[in-house]
Structure formats: C-alpha cells, structure tokens
Amino acid sequence: MKILVVDDEPDVRVLFEQRFRREIRSGEFAFSFAYSGEEALGFLRAHPSEVVLILSDINMPGMSGLELLRHVKSDPLPPPPPLVMMLTAYGDAATKQQAEQLGADDFLTKPVDFTALRDKLHAIENR
Amino acid sequence: MYNRVPGAWLLWLLLSLPGLAQQAAAPEPAHAAPDLAHLLPAIAALPDSSRVDQLLEFTDVLVQGGRYEETAPTLREAAAVAQASGRPVLESRVELSQGYVAAQLADFAEALRHYQRALDLARAARDVPRQIRVLTRISGLSYQTRDWPPAIRAQQQALGLARQYHLPKAEAGVYGELSNLAGMQHRPAEALAYNNQALAMYRAQHDTVSYYGSLLNQGIVLKNLGRYAESARSYRQVLAYARRTRDSTFILYVDVNLPRTLLRLGQAAEAEQLARQSLALATRTHNLELLHEANDLLAAVQEQQGQYQAALGYQRAATRLQDSIFNQQKSQQLLATDARYQARARQAQIGQLAADNTRQQRQLLGLLAGLGMIVGLAAVLWRSNRQRLKANALLERQKAELQTQRDHTTQALADLRATQNQLIQKEKMASLGELTAGIAHEIQNPLNFVNNFADVSAELVAELKEAQAAGDGEEVAALADDLSQNLGKIHQHGQRAAGIVRGMLEHSRQSTGERQPTDVNALCDEYLRLAYHGLRAKDKSFNATLETDFAPSLPVVEAVAGDLGRVLLNLLTNAFYAVQQRQQAGEAGYQPTVSMSTRQVGGSVEIRVADNGTGMPAEVQAKIFQPFFTTKPTGEGTGLGLSLSYDIITKAHGGSLNVASQAGEGTTFTVRLPC
C-alpha cells in the first residue's frame, strides 16, 4: 500500500521510516514524502493511481493541508481516489469540522500516537 | 459732593453681600439662612447624627449663597460634635463638607487633605458607597486643577470598590466619570469606550434618566470623533425621550448640541430650525450663554448656505454676547474672590470723601477741622499699619503655598517617572503574554520529535540485542547507525526547543541596550511564526495567508535583538488584529493576508510589515505613535506598543518607523535601520 506523507518538517521522513521499518521491510507499506502541498500535488500527478492514502499536516507554509485536501477531493485525479487523513497540532473542533466538510477521511492530532496510526493503516489495508 | 456719599454707601452695601451679586444673575429666591447663634440651642437636645445633619444643612445654605468663608464656625461645631460622637461616618461627612468649601475657595491642597481624611474615615466606618462618593469628589477636584492623573487614580479605586461590593449603579457612574475625564483630555476613543460601558450598565439597571444622560454624552463624544451620523442618531434618541417625558433640560441640551452635528452632515435646514428654537428660548429666559451659542450657531448655518451678510450679523451678536458673558463672569469672579478687599478699598474712599468734607467745614470751624484732621490722620495711620501687617501675612502665606506647590511638583515628577517605568514593564509583559501561546506551539514540534526519536530508539535497542544474539553482525551495524542518527536528532531538536526558550527569556529580560550583530531575516521569521501561532492559539478559527519575501544576503545590522523583536511582534500583532477585524466583518471573498519583507535600501535595511486589514483613517494615523492611544476596546491594548516601538527604532537604533494606510484597504509599517 502506497502512502504519501506531507509535512514541512524533513525529520518526519526519518521518523516514519524507523517507526514503520518492519512494514516497509516486508513490503506491506511503501512511504513517499512531500514537504509542501504543492510538492504533494506534483507527486500525485507524476504517479497516477499509485497512492492509496495521503497523510497530510495542515499548517504548512504556502499551500496548507486543507487546500491540498480541497484539490485532491475536487480535481479530477486518475482513479482510484486516494483517502486523505489530516494531521494537526490544533485539534480544535472548527479545524476538524472544516476538514470534514472538505471531505477528509480521518483526522488525527499531534503528537501522533503511532500505535493507533499503525492500527488505522492496517485497517485500511485489510478493507 | 456730599450727595455722592450715600451713592458710594449703596455700592459698598451691594458689594459686601456676595449673595446679592448671584441673585442678580440667577433669579432664585434667597436662601433664608438661620443664624448659628439661634441654631445651636435649638438643636442642643438632638442626637449627634441629627445635630451633624442640621449643621451641615446650615453649611449647605451658606454654600448655596456663595458665603463660603462664613461656613467655618458651623463646620468647626459640626466637627466637634462628630468627633465627640466617636462615629467615623459622621466625621467623614464633616470632612467631606470642609473639603468642598476649601475647593470652592480654590485651596486645593486643603481640600485634598479633608477628602483624604474623609476617605480614611469612610473606610474605618466600612461605608463603601461613602468611599466611592469621596473618591468622586477627589476626582472632581481635577476639573479645577486640570491635573488629571489623580482623578483617574481615584476613579480606578472607585471602580475597584464598586466591582468588589457589587454596586452596579456606582460602577456605571464611575464609567461615566472616566468617560468625562478622557473627553477632557481629548481622548475621544477612550471616552466613547467608557461611555458605552456606562450605557450598557444603565440599560441593564433600567435607570432611564442616567441612560439618556449617557446617550447625550455619547452624541458629544461621537461628534468629537467625527462620527456625525452616529452622533445625530444618539441625540435624536435623547430628544425623542425628552419630548416624551417633557424634560426641558434634555431638550435644551440636544437643541444646543445637535445643530453642530447636523451642520457637519450638511443638514442645514434642520440645524437652523433647532438653532432658532434655542434663540427663542434664550431670549425668553435671558440666558446669555445660550443666546451666544444660538447666535454663533445661526452664523455657522448662514455661512454654510452662502448667506454671508446674515452670517456676519449673527456673528457680531455672538461676539457682543461673548464680551458681556466674559465681563459678567469676570465681575462675578472678582466679586466672589475680592469682595472683602474691595469693600475695604471703598471704605478708604469713603474715608477720603469724609476728610474732604471736614476740610470744607474747617474754613468755618477751625478748631473742629483740626480735631477732624487728627482723627482722620489717626484713622489713616491705623489702617495703613493694619494693611502692612496684612500684606506681610499674605506674603508669608504665599511663600508657604509656593513651597507646598514645589513639593507637590517634585513628588508628582517622581510619581510620573515611577509610573512610566511600570508601564514600560507592563507593556513588555503584555507582549510576552501574546508570545506565550506561540512559543508553546513552537516548542511542541521539537519536543514531539525528541519523544518520538527516544521511543523509537528504545525499540531499536531491543532489536539490536536480538540481532546480536542471532549473530547478525550486518544488522547490528545498521541498527547502531540508526541509533547514532537518532541521538543526533534528539540533540538537534532539544537544541531547537532550548533556542526558543532562550529567545523568550531574552524578550522578558530588562534590555541591556547593547547592540549585537543581528540577522534580520532570521529574527523576522522567528517573530512572524510566534505572532501567528500566538493568535491562532487564542482564536483557533483564525487563518491568514502569510507571505514572506526576505532578501538574501542582507547585511548584518547592529541591533538589540530583544528590543527589535518586540517591535516586530508589535507590528505583526497589530497586522493580525487588523485582518482579523476585517474578516469578522464578514466581507465576501476576503482573504486575510499578512506579508513581511526585507530588503537593502542604500545604507539601511528595510523591514516592511503589510496587511490587507481594516486600515486607518488619516486622523488615527496621526496619533498611533502617541502614548496611550489605542483603537482597541478598553482592556485589550495598553496604547503603548507603537509608542515604545517608535522610541526603540528611532532613539535606540537611529532608524525610522513609518506608516502608510488606507481605511478599508490595509496598512504597511516600514522600519529602516542603518547597517
């Protein structure tokens, strides 16, 4: 299952690669990383129909995670449409509601509970 | 010649009774003052509080007749009764009256001493409403002395009491007073804010008369702010109420005030009609001030309509009336303060006339004339000696007064310096408060990394042990590399958090004022994040587009980083506030944007902070660098941010701070620092 992680913090890559090293080694999950909303859109266009899940931060310089979400949900991307999971340090009701209105499939708050995230990812894979 | 003497006597009689002069101005019946000598036996048997009541009532009668100096024996008697009763509340009442009389005689130091004792006694009596009443009197002194800080201190104290003891009526009154004080100091925005608080409270208390009084005041404040349409609306509400209840005082106030506002709104016809009503009323009641105002108004109305001839006529009438009012006031003032002195002067004149008369008679009766002259000479000598003694005493008194005033001034200056330092520290702490939320957010990210890398490293160590047991040397080496990388990450993010905390400490520390080579771009970036996250933490629904354009290879600037950061934080906080205000106005398609850019211009580095927020009209722009000027609601801004920023940039860094703004479009602040 291919997962695109979008976050402006570069160390997120190292962290995800270590946290999910078993799944990566077994070929269960494949992670790609983008450091901005713009970069993520570019990646999606360059790799059509590959990404199953996008895991995106909301507060990023330039295109925010919510704008990325809007693009993904409204722009015609080659099928199947990827799931989008939003991640934010501001776990407030208003942001969550806004993400849901834009069609987010899930909403997580930072700091990320990796055990819970792992369960969610396995659940998506086993659908 | 002899015939002139009775005329002079009549004049003297008139002058020696200050009550008469006032009667001539205000056709009220004279207060029939009882005699203290008759009053004392009549009240001797009453309980203490009633005796004090009666004595203070007697004092009031004298005060209303303008006979301030004659109140002394009555007040002394009242003070003795109050003190003997051992009831602080009675003593407080007497002290309050004594203070009032002293204030009327323009002896403010004495008045303040009495009021202070009245306050202490009211406190001892645990009588909170009385404490508030005394504080209001203390504040009232400022209208005479034009020294406002003590009034504001007194009102703040009264406000504290009213809130603590849940006295909403008194609290509303304090807001009204604070509004008046702000108005007297030409701070209409503040006056409006306080007045709104008073209005809201009166409305909640269903205190209709006070409510409409405040509404009238609102009309005046709004006019001073240039918000004429709203001013007219307030006045009209008061007028409607006044007509409903036939309250002639309110009608008069509105008639005098509304036309000025209407003129500004270009509604000359209605302004003229109201002014003519005032003119008719003034003519009927012989009220000189009102006549002057009505004529002045009509002159303005005619001028606006191009009727210059008519305008000139009204203007002339107004000027004439102004002169008569001035003369009337002047003579009343002279009468009130110098009545006794003038009376003595007249007496001297009479003595002179009498002497002339004696000289005529001497031609007929030499012996009598000689005798008369000796008597006259003795009288003159005696009087001149008395006057010399009096002049000496006066000189002594003036010297003492000067000394007291100088002591007061020195004390006031010291107080002012201390207050200024406190305010600067307070402004720093206020901006630190704004930073705190931003800092918490900024620290959260590195801390998450520290925790995550520590957690995952624990897992790696477990795996490394397994690999070692299995004898998989390659895997052991790979895991050891990962662990070493993680330790590096933990250290790096720990340092990042420490750097943020260090920045916070620098911000709150007393500035040493020492300039250090500073990377302006890094500082801008840091404070932009802090300001944005600070606001986001307070208002989570708030979002703005942040645009940055930092010139690469910007020269290093010699700056006090903490102080410069405080300026940037201030400009950014204002920018976010402005876009937030505009966003809350609910304009369709509005995208709040705050941008920050740096560039080199000649020998300076320029930092621009721009927003597309509410913007400011020219009259606000002219005042924003003044201390205590704020457009934020009371309690939200200290009004010191931009004034301190201005000082930091211009005085401490030799740079410049400028503003460009369009109401409804946005604002740009430009900082220039020499590099």
Side-chain angles (χ1 to χ4, degrees), chain B residues 447-503:
Chain B
L447 281 185
N448 284 346
F449 276 116
V450 168
N451 289 333
N452 274 315
F453 279 116
D455 278 356
V456 83
S457 295
E459 288 173 23
L460 293 184
V461 167
E463 280 185 36
L464 186 136
K465 282 182 182 160
E466 282 168 28
Q468 196 179 27
D472 185 345
E474 203 180 322
E475 177 72 359
V476 169
L479 284 167
D481 279 349
D482 279 354
L483 275 170
S484 136
Q485 176 192 294
N486 286 3
L487 287 176
K489 294 286 176 204
I490 289 172
H491 180 70
Q492 176 198 331
H493 288 286
Q495 289 291 96
R496 194 173 142 195
I500 294 163
V501 172
R502 199 161 47 239

Short mmCIF file of all heavy atoms in Angstrom, two decimals, chain B residues 447-503:
data_model
loop_
_atom_site.label_atom_id
_atom_site.label_comp_id
_atom_site.label_asym_id
_atom_site.label_seq_id
_atom_site.Cartn_x
_atom_site.Cartn_y
_atom_site.Cartn_z
N LEU B 447 9.68 19.08 20.66
CA LEU B 447 9.51 18.12 21.76
C LEU B 447 8.90 16.82 21.27
O LEU B 447 9.28 15.73 21.71
CB LEU B 447 8.62 18.73 22.85
CG LEU B 447 9.31 19.72 23.78
CD1 LEU B 447 8.35 20.15 24.87
CD2 LEU B 447 10.56 19.11 24.39
N ASN B 448 7.95 16.90 20.33
CA ASN B 448 7.38 15.69 19.76
C ASN B 448 8.47 14.84 19.12
O ASN B 448 8.49 13.62 19.27
CB ASN B 448 6.35 16.04 18.68
CG ASN B 448 5.06 16.53 19.30
OD1 ASN B 448 4.85 16.36 20.49
ND2 ASN B 448 4.21 17.14 18.48
N PHE B 449 9.38 15.53 18.41
CA PHE B 449 10.46 14.79 17.78
C PHE B 449 11.34 14.12 18.82
O PHE B 449 11.73 12.95 18.68
CB PHE B 449 11.32 15.70 16.88
CG PHE B 449 10.72 15.88 15.51
CD1 PHE B 449 10.28 17.12 15.08
CD2 PHE B 449 10.61 14.79 14.65
CE1 PHE B 449 9.73 17.28 13.82
CE2 PHE B 449 10.07 14.96 13.39
CZ PHE B 449 9.62 16.21 12.97
N VAL B 450 11.68 14.89 19.89
CA VAL B 450 12.54 14.33 20.94
C VAL B 450 11.88 13.06 21.49
O VAL B 450 12.50 12.00 21.59
CB VAL B 450 12.78 15.37 22.06
CG1 VAL B 450 13.42 14.71 23.27
CG2 VAL B 450 13.66 16.49 21.54
N ASN B 451 10.59 13.14 21.82
CA ASN B 451 9.89 11.99 22.39
C ASN B 451 9.83 10.83 21.41
O ASN B 451 10.08 9.68 21.77
CB ASN B 451 8.46 12.38 22.79
CG ASN B 451 8.47 13.30 23.99
OD1 ASN B 451 9.41 13.23 24.80
ND2 ASN B 451 7.47 14.14 24.11
N ASN B 452 9.48 11.14 20.16
CA ASN B 452 9.34 10.09 19.16
C ASN B 452 10.65 9.37 18.89
O ASN B 452 10.70 8.15 18.84
CB ASN B 452 8.81 10.68 17.85
CG ASN B 452 7.29 10.74 17.87
OD1 ASN B 452 6.65 9.78 18.26
ND2 ASN B 452 6.73 11.87 17.47
N PHE B 453 11.75 10.16 18.74
CA PHE B 453 13.03 9.53 18.46
C PHE B 453 13.50 8.73 19.67
O PHE B 453 14.15 7.70 19.53
CB PHE B 453 14.07 10.56 18.02
CG PHE B 453 13.94 10.93 16.57
CD1 PHE B 453 13.62 12.22 16.18
CD2 PHE B 453 14.14 9.96 15.58
CE1 PHE B 453 13.49 12.55 14.84
CE2 PHE B 453 14.02 10.30 14.24
CZ PHE B 453 13.68 11.60 13.86
N ALA B 454 13.20 9.19 20.87
CA ALA B 454 13.58 8.44 22.07
C ALA B 454 12.82 7.12 22.10
O ALA B 454 13.40 6.05 22.35
CB ALA B 454 13.29 9.27 23.32
N ASP B 455 11.49 7.16 21.83
CA ASP B 455 10.67 5.95 21.82
C ASP B 455 11.19 4.93 20.82
O ASP B 455 11.40 3.77 21.14
CB ASP B 455 9.23 6.30 21.40
CG ASP B 455 8.44 6.83 22.58
OD1 ASP B 455 9.01 6.83 23.69
OD2 ASP B 455 7.28 7.24 22.38
N VAL B 456 11.38 5.44 19.58
CA VAL B 456 11.75 4.52 18.52
C VAL B 456 13.15 3.96 18.77
O VAL B 456 13.45 2.82 18.45
CB VAL B 456 11.60 5.19 17.14
CG1 VAL B 456 12.79 6.03 16.78
CG2 VAL B 456 11.32 4.16 16.05
N SER B 457 14.01 4.75 19.44
CA SER B 457 15.36 4.26 19.75
C SER B 457 15.31 3.11 20.74
O SER B 457 16.10 2.17 20.66
CB SER B 457 16.22 5.40 20.31
OG SER B 457 16.41 6.37 19.32
N ALA B 458 14.35 3.19 21.70
CA ALA B 458 14.20 2.10 22.66
C ALA B 458 13.87 0.80 21.90
O ALA B 458 14.41 -0.27 22.21
CB ALA B 458 13.11 2.44 23.67
N GLU B 459 12.98 0.91 20.90
CA GLU B 459 12.64 -0.27 20.10
C GLU B 459 13.88 -0.81 19.37
O GLU B 459 14.12 -2.01 19.32
CB GLU B 459 11.58 0.08 19.04
CG GLU B 459 10.19 0.32 19.62
CD GLU B 459 9.23 0.84 18.54
OE1 GLU B 459 9.47 0.59 17.34
OE2 GLU B 459 8.24 1.51 18.91
N LEU B 460 14.67 0.16 18.80
CA LEU B 460 15.86 -0.25 18.04
C LEU B 460 16.87 -0.99 18.93
O LEU B 460 17.50 -1.95 18.50
CB LEU B 460 16.53 0.96 17.39
CG LEU B 460 15.76 1.67 16.28
CD1 LEU B 460 16.60 2.78 15.66
CD2 LEU B 460 15.33 0.70 15.18
N VAL B 461 17.01 -0.52 20.17
CA VAL B 461 17.96 -1.16 21.09
C VAL B 461 17.54 -2.62 21.32
O VAL B 461 18.36 -3.54 21.30
CB VAL B 461 18.04 -0.38 22.42
CG1 VAL B 461 18.77 -1.21 23.48
CG2 VAL B 461 18.75 0.95 22.21
N ALA B 462 16.20 -2.82 21.51
CA ALA B 462 15.70 -4.18 21.72
C ALA B 462 16.04 -5.06 20.51
O ALA B 462 16.52 -6.20 20.65
CB ALA B 462 14.19 -4.15 21.95
N GLU B 463 15.83 -4.48 19.32
CA GLU B 463 16.13 -5.23 18.09
C GLU B 463 17.62 -5.53 17.97
O GLU B 463 18.02 -6.60 17.51
CB GLU B 463 15.66 -4.47 16.85
CG GLU B 463 14.18 -4.62 16.62
CD GLU B 463 13.75 -3.96 15.33
OE1 GLU B 463 14.52 -4.02 14.34
OE2 GLU B 463 12.65 -3.38 15.31
N LEU B 464 18.42 -4.53 18.36
CA LEU B 464 19.87 -4.69 18.27
C LEU B 464 20.32 -5.86 19.13
O LEU B 464 21.15 -6.67 18.73
CB LEU B 464 20.55 -3.39 18.71
CG LEU B 464 22.07 -3.32 18.53
CD1 LEU B 464 22.47 -1.97 17.96
CD2 LEU B 464 22.80 -3.52 19.84
N LYS B 465 19.72 -5.96 20.34
CA LYS B 465 20.08 -7.07 21.23
C LYS B 465 19.74 -8.42 20.58
O LYS B 465 20.52 -9.36 20.63
CB LYS B 465 19.35 -6.92 22.56
CG LYS B 465 19.99 -5.89 23.46
CD LYS B 465 19.29 -5.78 24.80
CE LYS B 465 19.92 -4.71 25.67
NZ LYS B 465 18.99 -4.27 26.72
N GLU B 466 18.54 -8.46 19.97
CA GLU B 466 18.12 -9.70 19.28
C GLU B 466 19.12 -10.05 18.18
O GLU B 466 19.55 -11.21 18.07
CB GLU B 466 16.74 -9.53 18.64
CG GLU B 466 15.58 -9.61 19.63
CD GLU B 466 14.28 -9.16 18.99
OE1 GLU B 466 14.14 -9.28 17.75
OE2 GLU B 466 13.41 -8.64 19.73
N ALA B 467 19.50 -9.04 17.37
CA ALA B 467 20.41 -9.29 16.24
C ALA B 467 21.76 -9.78 16.73
O ALA B 467 22.37 -10.67 16.12
CB ALA B 467 20.56 -8.02 15.42
N GLN B 468 22.16 -9.19 17.89
CA GLN B 468 23.45 -9.58 18.44
C GLN B 468 23.41 -11.05 18.88
O GLN B 468 24.33 -11.82 18.60
CB GLN B 468 23.78 -8.68 19.63
CG GLN B 468 25.23 -8.74 20.02
CD GLN B 468 25.52 -7.80 21.20
OE1 GLN B 468 24.61 -7.52 21.99
NE2 GLN B 468 26.74 -7.34 21.28
N ALA B 469 22.30 -11.41 19.53
CA ALA B 469 22.13 -12.79 19.99
C ALA B 469 22.13 -13.75 18.79
O ALA B 469 22.66 -14.85 18.86
CB ALA B 469 20.84 -12.92 20.79
N ALA B 470 21.51 -13.28 17.69
CA ALA B 470 21.43 -14.13 16.49
C ALA B 470 22.75 -14.12 15.71
O ALA B 470 22.89 -14.85 14.73
CB ALA B 470 20.29 -13.65 15.60
N GLY B 471 23.69 -13.26 16.15
CA GLY B 471 24.98 -13.18 15.50
C GLY B 471 24.94 -12.53 14.13
O GLY B 471 25.80 -12.76 13.29
N ASP B 472 23.90 -11.66 13.90
CA ASP B 472 23.76 -10.98 12.60
C ASP B 472 24.55 -9.67 12.66
O ASP B 472 24.00 -8.62 13.00
CB ASP B 472 22.27 -10.71 12.32
CG ASP B 472 22.05 -10.12 10.94
OD1 ASP B 472 23.04 -9.66 10.32
OD2 ASP B 472 20.88 -10.10 10.49
N GLY B 473 25.82 -9.72 12.37
CA GLY B 473 26.70 -8.56 12.50
C GLY B 473 26.28 -7.39 11.64
O GLY B 473 26.34 -6.23 12.05
N GLU B 474 25.80 -7.67 10.44
CA GLU B 474 25.42 -6.62 9.49
C GLU B 474 24.25 -5.80 10.06
O GLU B 474 24.26 -4.57 10.04
CB GLU B 474 25.02 -7.27 8.17
CG GLU B 474 25.14 -6.33 6.99
CD GLU B 474 24.73 -7.03 5.70
OE1 GLU B 474 25.05 -8.24 5.56
OE2 GLU B 474 24.08 -6.38 4.87
N GLU B 475 23.24 -6.56 10.58
CA GLU B 475 22.06 -5.90 11.14
C GLU B 475 22.45 -5.08 12.38
O GLU B 475 21.97 -3.97 12.58
CB GLU B 475 21.02 -6.97 11.49
CG GLU B 475 19.75 -6.43 12.15
CD GLU B 475 18.84 -5.67 11.21
OE1 GLU B 475 19.18 -5.51 10.01
OE2 GLU B 475 17.77 -5.21 11.66
N VAL B 476 23.34 -5.63 13.21
CA VAL B 476 23.80 -4.89 14.40
C VAL B 476 24.42 -3.56 13.97
O VAL B 476 24.09 -2.51 14.52
CB VAL B 476 24.83 -5.73 15.21
CG1 VAL B 476 25.50 -4.86 16.29
CG2 VAL B 476 24.15 -6.92 15.86
N ALA B 477 25.24 -3.59 12.94
CA ALA B 477 25.90 -2.36 12.47
C ALA B 477 24.88 -1.37 11.94
O ALA B 477 24.94 -0.17 12.25
CB ALA B 477 26.92 -2.70 11.38
N ALA B 478 23.88 -1.87 11.17
CA ALA B 478 22.85 -0.99 10.59
C ALA B 478 22.04 -0.33 11.71
O ALA B 478 21.79 0.88 11.70
CB ALA B 478 21.94 -1.78 9.67
N LEU B 479 21.65 -1.16 12.72
CA LEU B 479 20.85 -0.61 13.84
C LEU B 479 21.66 0.40 14.64
O LEU B 479 21.14 1.43 15.09
CB LEU B 479 20.36 -1.75 14.74
CG LEU B 479 19.20 -2.57 14.16
CD1 LEU B 479 19.00 -3.84 14.94
CD2 LEU B 479 17.91 -1.73 14.16
N ALA B 480 22.96 0.11 14.83
CA ALA B 480 23.80 1.05 15.57
C ALA B 480 23.88 2.39 14.83
O ALA B 480 23.84 3.46 15.46
CB ALA B 480 25.20 0.46 15.75
N ASP B 481 23.95 2.33 13.49
CA ASP B 481 23.98 3.57 12.70
C ASP B 481 22.69 4.36 12.91
O ASP B 481 22.70 5.58 13.13
CB ASP B 481 24.11 3.24 11.20
CG ASP B 481 25.56 2.95 10.84
OD1 ASP B 481 26.43 3.21 11.71
OD2 ASP B 481 25.80 2.45 9.72
N ASP B 482 21.54 3.63 12.84
CA ASP B 482 20.24 4.31 13.06
C ASP B 482 20.20 4.96 14.44
O ASP B 482 19.77 6.11 14.60
CB ASP B 482 19.09 3.29 12.97
CG ASP B 482 18.73 3.00 11.52
OD1 ASP B 482 19.31 3.68 10.64
OD2 ASP B 482 17.89 2.12 11.27
N LEU B 483 20.67 4.20 15.46
CA LEU B 483 20.63 4.73 16.83
C LEU B 483 21.47 5.99 16.94
O LEU B 483 21.06 6.98 17.56
CB LEU B 483 21.16 3.68 17.80
CG LEU B 483 20.11 2.67 18.26
CD1 LEU B 483 20.79 1.53 19.02
CD2 LEU B 483 19.08 3.36 19.15
N SER B 484 22.64 5.96 16.31
CA SER B 484 23.51 7.13 16.40
C SER B 484 22.86 8.32 15.70
O SER B 484 22.90 9.45 16.20
CB SER B 484 24.88 6.75 15.83
OG SER B 484 25.37 7.75 15.00
N GLN B 485 22.20 8.05 14.57
CA GLN B 485 21.48 9.13 13.87
C GLN B 485 20.36 9.69 14.76
O GLN B 485 20.19 10.90 14.88
CB GLN B 485 20.88 8.57 12.57
CG GLN B 485 20.03 9.60 11.84
CD GLN B 485 19.21 8.98 10.71
OE1 GLN B 485 19.75 8.51 9.74
NE2 GLN B 485 17.93 8.97 10.86
N ASN B 486 19.63 8.78 15.45
CA ASN B 486 18.53 9.23 16.30
C ASN B 486 19.02 10.11 17.45
O ASN B 486 18.39 11.11 17.81
CB ASN B 486 17.78 8.03 16.88
CG ASN B 486 16.93 7.38 15.81
OD1 ASN B 486 16.96 7.81 14.66
ND2 ASN B 486 16.19 6.35 16.18
N LEU B 487 20.17 9.70 18.04
CA LEU B 487 20.71 10.52 19.13
C LEU B 487 21.00 11.92 18.62
O LEU B 487 20.75 12.92 19.30
CB LEU B 487 21.98 9.88 19.69
CG LEU B 487 21.73 8.63 20.53
CD1 LEU B 487 23.04 7.99 20.96
CD2 LEU B 487 20.90 8.98 21.76
N GLY B 488 21.55 11.98 17.40
CA GLY B 488 21.80 13.29 16.77
C GLY B 488 20.52 14.08 16.64
O GLY B 488 20.46 15.28 16.95
N LYS B 489 19.44 13.40 16.19
CA LYS B 489 18.14 14.10 16.00
C LYS B 489 17.60 14.61 17.35
O LYS B 489 17.08 15.72 17.45
CB LYS B 489 17.11 13.14 15.39
CG LYS B 489 17.44 12.71 13.97
CD LYS B 489 17.18 13.82 12.99
CE LYS B 489 17.60 13.43 11.59
NZ LYS B 489 17.90 14.60 10.74
N ILE B 490 17.71 13.73 18.38
CA ILE B 490 17.21 14.13 19.71
C ILE B 490 17.95 15.38 20.17
O ILE B 490 17.35 16.35 20.63
CB ILE B 490 17.39 12.98 20.72
CG1 ILE B 490 16.42 11.85 20.40
CG2 ILE B 490 17.18 13.48 22.16
CD1 ILE B 490 16.62 10.60 21.21
N HIS B 491 19.27 15.36 19.99
CA HIS B 491 20.07 16.52 20.40
C HIS B 491 19.66 17.77 19.61
O HIS B 491 19.42 18.83 20.18
CB HIS B 491 21.55 16.21 20.16
CG HIS B 491 22.46 17.33 20.55
ND1 HIS B 491 22.67 17.70 21.85
CD2 HIS B 491 23.18 18.22 19.79
CE1 HIS B 491 23.48 18.73 21.89
NE2 HIS B 491 23.81 19.07 20.65
N GLN B 492 19.51 17.58 18.30
CA GLN B 492 19.21 18.72 17.41
C GLN B 492 17.86 19.36 17.79
O GLN B 492 17.74 20.57 17.91
CB GLN B 492 19.18 18.18 15.98
CG GLN B 492 18.80 19.18 14.92
CD GLN B 492 18.37 18.45 13.64
OE1 GLN B 492 18.85 17.34 13.36
NE2 GLN B 492 17.47 19.06 12.90
N HIS B 493 16.83 18.51 18.02
CA HIS B 493 15.51 19.09 18.35
C HIS B 493 15.48 19.64 19.78
O HIS B 493 14.78 20.60 20.06
CB HIS B 493 14.42 18.05 18.12
CG HIS B 493 14.17 17.81 16.66
ND1 HIS B 493 13.50 18.73 15.88
CD2 HIS B 493 14.53 16.80 15.83
CE1 HIS B 493 13.45 18.28 14.63
NE2 HIS B 493 14.07 17.10 14.56
N GLY B 494 16.29 19.02 20.66
CA GLY B 494 16.41 19.57 22.02
C GLY B 494 17.00 20.96 21.97
O GLY B 494 16.52 21.89 22.62
N GLN B 495 18.03 21.14 21.12
CA GLN B 495 18.66 22.45 20.96
C GLN B 495 17.65 23.46 20.41
O GLN B 495 17.63 24.62 20.81
CB GLN B 495 19.85 22.36 19.98
CG GLN B 495 21.03 21.63 20.51
CD GLN B 495 21.71 22.43 21.62
OE1 GLN B 495 21.45 22.19 22.79
NE2 GLN B 495 22.53 23.39 21.27
N ARG B 496 16.81 22.98 19.48
CA ARG B 496 15.83 23.86 18.85
C ARG B 496 14.87 24.41 19.91
O ARG B 496 14.60 25.61 19.98
CB ARG B 496 15.06 23.04 17.81
CG ARG B 496 14.25 23.86 16.85
CD ARG B 496 13.69 22.91 15.80
NE ARG B 496 12.35 23.27 15.42
CZ ARG B 496 11.52 22.47 14.74
NH1 ARG B 496 11.91 21.26 14.39
NH2 ARG B 496 10.31 22.87 14.43
N ALA B 497 14.40 23.49 20.79
CA ALA B 497 13.49 23.93 21.86
C ALA B 497 14.20 24.88 22.81
O ALA B 497 13.65 25.91 23.20
CB ALA B 497 12.97 22.71 22.63
N ALA B 498 15.46 24.56 23.13
CA ALA B 498 16.21 25.41 24.05
C ALA B 498 16.38 26.81 23.46
O ALA B 498 16.28 27.81 24.17
CB ALA B 498 17.57 24.80 24.33
N GLY B 499 16.59 26.87 22.14
CA GLY B 499 16.76 28.16 21.47
C GLY B 499 15.50 29.01 21.61
O GLY B 499 15.58 30.23 21.83
N ILE B 500 14.34 28.37 21.50
CA ILE B 500 13.08 29.12 21.61
C ILE B 500 12.91 29.67 23.03
O ILE B 500 12.55 30.82 23.23
CB ILE B 500 11.90 28.20 21.22
CG1 ILE B 500 11.99 27.85 19.73
CG2 ILE B 500 10.57 28.88 21.53
CD1 ILE B 500 11.16 26.68 19.32
N VAL B 501 13.23 28.81 24.01
CA VAL B 501 13.12 29.26 25.41
C VAL B 501 14.09 30.42 25.66
O VAL B 501 13.75 31.41 26.30
CB VAL B 501 13.40 28.10 26.39
CG1 VAL B 501 13.48 28.61 27.81
CG2 VAL B 501 12.33 27.03 26.25
N ARG B 502 15.29 30.31 25.08
CA ARG B 502 16.28 31.38 25.26
C ARG B 502 15.74 32.69 24.70
O ARG B 502 15.83 33.73 25.32
CB ARG B 502 17.59 30.99 24.57
CG ARG B 502 18.79 31.76 25.07
CD ARG B 502 20.10 31.08 24.73
NE ARG B 502 20.16 30.64 23.34
CZ ARG B 502 20.36 29.38 22.97
NH1 ARG B 502 20.52 28.44 23.88
NH2 ARG B 502 20.39 29.04 21.70
N GLY B 503 15.12 32.59 23.52
CA GLY B 503 14.54 33.78 22.89
C GLY B 503 13.49 34.41 23.78
O GLY B 503 13.42 35.63 23.93
#
